[in-house]
Amino acid sequence: AGCAVAFFAHILLHTLALKFVVPMFGLSGESDGADSNTYQDCSRRIACSWFSANPVYCLRSQYVYQHNPPCVYCIPGKEHLIEVNEDLGLYFNDCPAKEEDYDAPHVDVEAMKDNLKELKGKASQHFEDMKGKATGQLEELKGKASGHFEQLQGQMSSWRMPGFSASSSDEPSKAAPSEDAK
């Protein structure tokens, strides 16, 4: 008995939630027009319908009912074969796709050459611009570095380091080894 009460309580709570809670989170605002859209409007845009996707209906349309024009089975890429028959609910009308010319060249070589020349010109101009900017920045850095280098040399010349003679700051002094080292 407890399971039956729990079952019906669950159904009641679930129904109340669907009736009152879910609509609070629903969409609000203007309609997108789907409520006023008719089957005819959709059928004019979309080739595949229950009628044209049902092979048995298409066969019956042609051989049993002998509709003129009959319902044609919808095959992707062959939608243009479907003929309009408003009595059957077929409103889709399309023209065949442009036929591919297999003899035409696949690549327009002259257009590609022109594009490559244009890209080469743009790339070389961009390279020259970047080269000029880099050269200017390099000269600026050289100027700053030489100033810092001269300042650092001036500071180092005033330092006295043990083991170096006063006459030559680059080489350590070579004093004769003492008698204790022998």
Side-chain angles (χ1 to χ4, degrees), residues 7-19:
F7 175 73
F8 288 110
H10 172 78
I11 290 175
L12 178 67
L13 286 174
H14 192 83
T15 304
L16 290 175
L18 288 176
K19 179 78 175 158

Side-chain angles (χ1 to χ4, degrees), residues 48-145:
C48 190
S49 68
W50 183 88
F51 301 107
S52 63
N54 185 341
V56 174
Y57 181 82
C58 294
L59 288 171
R60 269 191 295 174
S61 170
Q62 185 172 2
Y63 295 111
V64 176
Y65 302 123
Q66 297 180 349
H67 292 133
N68 190 14
C71 181
V72 178
Y73 186 65
C74 181
I75 299 173
K78 300 289 184 180
E79 293 93 349
H80 64 279
L81 297 176
I82 297 174
E83 297 180 54
V84 175
N85 189 340
E86 294 181 6
D87 295 336
L88 299 179
L90 303 171
Y91 299 97
F92 185 79
N93 188 16
D94 197 10
C95 59
K98 183 180 175 189
E99 194 171 309
E100 188 171 349
D101 182 10
Y102 294 105
D103 296 328
H106 295 290
V107 177
D108 186 0
V109 178
E110 294 304 317
M112 185 163 295
K113 285 180 183 177
D114 293 340
N115 285 342
L116 285 175
K117 286 178 185 176
E118 182 181 337
L119 285 173
K120 184 180 176 183
K122 286 180 181 179
S124 63
Q125 180 62 38
H126 187 66
F127 178 74
E128 291 299 323
D129 291 346
M130 295 299 288
K131 184 178 171 184
K133 287 179 184 177
T135 303
Q137 289 177 350
L138 183 62
E139 293 300 323
E140 183 182 333
L141 285 174
K142 278 183 183 178
K144 287 180 181 179

